[in-house]
Amino acid sequence: MKLTALVKSPGRKRGIAGRELDLPGMPRTLRELIEQIVQLTVSEYEERRTGDDLLRALTEQQIDSGAENGKVGFKAIYGEKPANKESAVAAALLGFEDGLYRVFLRREEVTGLDAPLTLADGDEVVFMRFTMLAGGLWGR
């Protein structure tokens, strides 16, 4: 199943990041969707981490895309520690439950992790990321 995933932040007109995902199955709930996306990105991270250490040149398209999103880089991984899929999924689900991000499908908010989810090939899923504010009220 192919989806377009966008990460946005309140107050920014453009998305922070966006890409097309090719998920292995058809998620039936938001929980399954988050699990599949996290597992896919952890697998991609592991491929980059264990891949060759050759420094590749960026294409003009990669530079333009990075500049549009606010960060141009080689996506180099400097750590030796492998990622753990189970803990990454648990952290993503906890982040949703704690309100660190919200999910929108076809401009409608998806609020329940286990509520039935109807996806179609090519749908756009938006992850709205929130920033916690520090100081003021909490520092007293």
Side-chain angles (χ1 to χ4, degrees):
M1 148 160 255
K2 290 189 187 279
L3 290 177
T4 301
L6 296 171
V7 178
K8 293 188 176 184
S9 184
R12 293 184 83 172
K13 290 183 182 180
R14 293 186 198 165
I16 296 173
R19 61 182 276 215
E20 188 173 294
L21 301 173
D22 194 4
L23 299 178
M26 176 71 78
R28 295 179 307 246
T29 64
L30 179 58
R31 181 182 306 276
E32 289 180 11
L33 176 65
I34 292 171
E35 288 172 354
Q36 286 188 26
I37 290 174
V38 170
Q39 289 171 355
L40 177 68
T41 55
V42 168
S43 295
E44 290 171 351
Y45 167 84
E46 283 300 312
E47 286 176 18
R48 286 195 321 268
R49 189 182 70 78
T50 58
D52 58 17
D53 289 339
L54 280 176
L55 188 61
R56 296 184 187 100
L58 295 174
T59 65
E60 190 171 332
Q61 180 183 5
Q62 290 170 319
I63 293 171
D64 291 342
S65 174
E68 187 174 306
N69 292 326
K71 181 178 180 185
V72 178
F74 291 99
K75 296 185 180 177
I77 298 172
Y78 300 106
E80 297 290 325
K81 188 175 179 184
N84 182 310
K85 285 185 183 180
E86 291 79 24
S87 63
V89 167
L93 293 172
L94 181 61
F96 179 81
E97 290 170 345
D98 286 348
L100 298 179
Y101 66 95
R102 292 191 178 161
V103 180
F104 295 86
L105 175 65
R106 293 186 288 279
R107 298 184 184 244
E108 295 290 326
E109 184 176 5
V110 182
T111 56
L113 278 174
D114 296 312
L117 190 64
T118 306
L119 291 168
D121 210 35
D123 271 345
E124 183 177 275
V125 179
V126 176
F127 293 87
M128 182 68 72
R129 182 176 79 183
F130 296 103
T131 304
M132 306 309 283
L133 301 176
L137 176 66
W138 309 112
R140 295 179 188 177

